[in-house]
Amino acid sequence: QSILFFIFYIKEKLKISSYTLRYYERIGLLPSVNRSKGGIRNYTDEDCRWVEFAKCMREAGLPVEILIDYVSLFQKGDETIPARKEILLEQRGILSGKIEELKKTLEKLDYKISRYEERLLVKEKELK
């Protein structure tokens, strides 16, 4: 596929700016992207998958440092598979805990909203 397709895919579908892409690459959140002789980045399918992975993990709240460690281990080869899996398991546990906390918060909000709705119905009946 063409370079323009990958640039469109990354910027438009994944909603990532050129600045963010360069930043992710500079700090090691993405493996190095191949470049043309003129220095233009040539994104591949694999590069797009890495961008999508990084974006997804960041949106879920995973720390940049953890993701940089993961990418660094990935680049060292298959002997790091157990360490990479451990990182993912640890982050999954943390994320799972956050989800449980968010569920509790959502329940409290739902309760508060229902109390407002009950009061609103009482006030509306008084208007009749």
Side-chain angles (χ1 to χ4, degrees):
Q1 294 184 359
S2 73
I3 293 170
L4 291 176
F5 168 79
F6 291 118
I7 292 170
F8 174 81
Y9 175 81
I10 290 170
K11 289 183 179 178
E12 299 299 321
K13 186 167 189 282
L14 297 179
K15 304 292 185 204
I16 294 184
S17 69
S18 296
Y19 173 81
T20 301
L21 284 170
R22 288 190 300 273
Y23 172 71
Y24 280 3
E25 189 178 350
R26 186 176 72 249
I27 65 171
L29 192 57
L30 300 174
S32 295
V33 175
N34 293 325
R35 296 173 184 255
S36 70
K37 290 180 182 179
I40 297 171
R41 288 169 177 83
N42 292 325
Y43 291 100
T44 64
D45 285 329
E46 184 178 353
D47 295 327
C48 290
R49 287 191 299 273
W50 274 106
V51 171
E52 195 169 11
F53 172 76
K55 183 176 188 276
C56 177
M57 296 298 110
R58 289 296 300 135
E59 286 177 349
L62 273 71
V64 169
E65 297 79 15
I66 296 294
L67 294 171
I68 291 170
D69 289 345
Y70 180 86
V71 172
S72 176
L73 287 169
F74 176 84
Q75 291 176 321
K76 291 177 182 173
D78 287 350
E79 65 274 5
T80 66
I81 287 173
R84 286 184 274 151
K85 182 180 178 184
E86 188 58 37
I87 288 172
L88 295 176
L89 287 169
E90 183 180 318
Q91 293 306 306
R92 186 189 188 288
I94 293 168
L95 188 56
S96 182
K98 288 179 183 178
I99 289 170
E100 289 306 314
E101 286 185 29
L102 287 171
K103 284 180 181 178
K104 290 177 186 174
T105 303
L106 188 57
E107 288 173 9
K108 288 180 182 182
L109 284 171
D110 287 343
Y111 172 76
K112 290 295 259 181
I113 291 167
S114 71
R115 297 290 293 150
Y116 278 99
E117 289 172 350
E118 289 170 11
R119 289 184 180 166
L120 182 62
L121 287 173
V122 168
K123 293 295 181 186
E124 285 180 348
K125 286 181 181 177
E126 291 174 3
L127 292 174
K128 290 185 178 183

